[in-house]
Amino acid sequence: MPPGETKRVRLLRAKSFRFFLEEKGANQAVAAAKTGEIIVAGRIGDDVFSEALIDSLSGAQVGQEHIVITPGVSTGSAFITVDDTGENSIIVVPGANGYYTEKDVDALMPYLRKATVLMLQLEIPLGAVSCAARLAHSCGVKVMLDPAPPIPMPGDLLETIDIITPNEHEASFLTGMEVTGVESAKLAASDLLSRGVKAVVIKLGAGGVVYSEQGSFGFVPGHSVQVVDTTAAGDAFSGGLAVALCEGKPLGEACRFANGVAALSVTRKGAQTSMPERSEVDGFLRLI
């Protein structure tokens, strides 16, 4: 297009705009902290969003002494559109997440030795993810990976993962299979198990959860709730799953608990603000 010529743009009008704190690791940390105990590690920028994020984590009683401020860099952000059914589309800006290094991970060793479960996501560089998984694995810590956003992963990383928790899209990307329901999820789970992962949990949204370990399969159905906003439902699930595993629950029972956390989260707007308290989850599960 010649300079100065106006480009034709498709205009989409929204009904409203709201600001919520949203970042996968932080979301999962808040979800876990509201139902258990957690420390979060990562990098944030020195922009206007960093203080709000720290305040949110503090309010949820998340230990954040291992969050590093990266000068001159934006805090990781996500721009989310939500339609009338509650479904969302997300644009992610990694920002300071992309500066997290293996050296940062090494500094966590004294705390990894005391941990029960390490939750990982793929919004930090793969080298740092692999390093954290390897060190935690060597300490006997259960390693849980939410493979989002999905990227190709080396076999040596998968072999250090105790539980991988993709949704249908992520499972399809990782296995090359089209995952659209329970039966195809079982096939994808078998594929991931064959690559060295110890257990697989595939989230089917409102359709429930398929889980598999040691060659056996299980299914936890979804809950019928009034959906307001599905943003961070997967993060709510991951946080709840980690807490349940820390409490020694078997995988199927842990998935049931996590499903309850996720179901409650979609009944309210936002990401971290949508995470339910432990009493809410326990009460909800007693009724079903």
Side-chain angles (χ1 to χ4, degrees), residues 20-37:
F20 295 106
L21 294 165
E22 150 71 32
E23 195 276 330
K24 290 200 73 64
N27 292 345
Q28 293 176 19
V30 169
K34 287 192 173 184
T35 51
E37 182 178 350

Side-chain angles (χ1 to χ4, degrees), residues 116-197:
T116 304
V117 173
L118 172 67
M119 289 193 294
L120 293 168
Q121 310 81 31
L122 296 177
E123 289 187 338
I124 61 173
L126 187 60
V129 172
S130 297
C131 178
R134 184 174 63 252
L135 292 178
H137 186 74
S138 70
C139 295
V141 176
K142 194 179 294 291
V143 180
M144 191 172 87
L145 174 66
D146 182 351
I151 59 175
M153 287 186 290
D156 58 347
L157 169 58
L158 292 174
E159 290 171 0
T160 63
I161 303 302
D162 292 290
I163 304 170
I164 193 167
T165 62
N167 60 24
E168 289 172 295
H169 165 69
E170 293 150 3
S172 298
F173 179 91
L174 293 173
T175 64
M177 306 175 184
E178 185 178 4
V179 180
T180 57
V182 173
E183 294 307 315
S184 55
K186 288 181 179 180
L187 294 175
S190 294
D191 179 79
L192 290 168
L193 288 171
S194 72
R195 301 192 210 177
V197 177

